[in-house]
Amino acid sequence: MSDLSAFPIARRWPARHPDRLQLYSLPTPNGVKVSIMLEEIGLPYEVHLVDFNKDDQKTPEFLSLNPNGKIPAIIDPDGPGGQPLPLFESGAILQYLAEKTGRLLPQDPARRYQTIQWVYFQMGGIGPMFGQVGFFYKFAGKEIADKRPLERYVAESRRLLDVIEQRLEGRQWIMDDDYTIADISMFGWVRNLIGFYGARELVAFDALKHVPAWLERGLARPAVQRGLNIPKRP
């Protein structure tokens, strides 16, 4: 039986199955990256809802696991050397799980790094820019009279979509015929941009050809469908 008692977060979110990977998350575009990944690879895990409405992410217990106060975060009781491994940042978690299981990350060194570069592209570009569109178009930022911030982020989001569009020409997935963590990293953000944020027309999504088809293929995967709703919101 694994012992997670050394982790303060286990006091607030007790593990019923401490031998399984522990996921602390919320079904946001960043959160679902890891839940989709776990569903795809079939690694047993236990999920804990981090409720932003209750400021769970600001509690000392959660900050002990992720000092940045963001989801998702994990504890793998069977980390390197058989020791528990706490980990935060969705991109790092995707790469760790891929390497741990030998799944969804090419073994060829060149293709491995090419895949990782697209994950970094999502982390550094798609996530921040699409998120700003959401803030200035749907949330509190829409009340700001100066529309230049929204225009800036919309233009950059369109550019990033065009980068994906060009990459997908002649390809089924970001890495050709290989479905990888690069695709998983992007699904939730593209889906959110045109769905929850309501920015489909704003970013001229329907003018694209390859990105909509890629998103449809991804969302049709059973593991993706399951992962998008994990953990369940209250």
Side-chain angles (χ1 to χ4, degrees):
M1 178 69 70
S2 300
D3 183 8
L4 302 180
S5 61
F7 296 94
I9 197 167
R11 294 196 291 269
R12 187 176 181 91
W13 288 276
R16 292 171 299 176
H17 305 282
D19 56 324
R20 300 180 186 177
L21 184 143
Q22 304 293 305
L23 170 64
Y24 308 88
S25 192
L26 187 70
T28 67
N30 277 331
V32 300
K33 296 177 199 174
V34 176
S35 52
I36 289 172
M37 179 66 174
L38 287 166
E39 289 295 316
E40 290 280 10
I41 61 180
L43 191 68
Y45 69 100
E46 181 177 351
V47 64
H48 306 277
L49 174 71
V50 181
D51 191 343
F52 284 8
N53 291 327
K54 298 179 180 178
D55 285 339
D56 281 347
Q57 77 278 17
K58 299 178 182 179
T59 60
E61 294 88 353
F62 187 79
L63 291 172
S64 71
L65 180 58
N66 183 359
N68 194 34
K70 304 290 185 180
I71 56 92
I74 66 169
I75 299 174
D76 183 0
D78 184 27
Q83 297 300 309
L85 175 69
L87 204 59
F88 64 89
E89 281 297 329
S90 57
I93 297 171
L94 285 179
Q95 185 174 341
Y96 169 71
L97 292 174
E99 293 178 351
K100 175 184 175 72
T101 61
R103 300 278 305 281
L104 303 180
L105 184 62
Q107 296 298 310
D108 174 76
R111 288 182 59 77
R112 177 179 178 272
Y113 282 111
Q114 288 166 356
T115 303
I116 292 171
Q117 81 179 347
W118 284 104
V119 175
Y120 288 2
F121 165 80
Q122 181 279 307
M123 299 289 293
I126 288 177
M129 295 302 105
F130 288 13
Q132 293 293 350
V133 169
F135 176 77
F136 284 102
Y137 187 63
K138 181 180 177 70
F139 298 113
K142 68 182 179 181
E143 305 301 330
I144 297 175
D146 186 348
K147 298 305 176 187
R148 286 175 294 180
L150 174 60
E151 292 168 358
R152 170 180 170 80
Y153 293 122
V154 167
E156 182 63 4
S157 294
R158 286 180 175 179
R159 188 190 69 80
L160 292 167
L161 286 169
D162 283 339
V163 172
I164 307 173
E165 177 78 357
Q166 293 171 30
R167 175 64 183 178
L168 288 170
E169 185 172 0
R171 294 181 172 90
Q172 183 176 15
W173 305 110
I174 295 296
M175 291 302 296
D176 308 310
D177 290 332
D178 292 334
Y179 174 73
T180 69
I181 59 174
D183 302 287
I184 292 173
S185 74
M186 299 180 196
F187 287 148
W189 278 109
V190 177
R191 174 178 176 264
N192 231 49
L193 180 68
I194 64 172
F196 183 63
Y197 293 162
R200 188 183 195 106
E201 293 184 9
L202 196 66
V203 298
F205 188 76
D206 292 324
L208 303 170
K209 176 182 178 182
H210 306 303
V211 175
W214 161 85
L215 182 62
E216 185 177 351
R217 282 193 295 274
L219 295 180
R221 296 179 66 90
V224 173
Q225 283 294 311
R226 294 192 300 270
L228 287 172
N229 295 300
I230 296 173
K232 293 288 186 182
R233 291 182 181 270

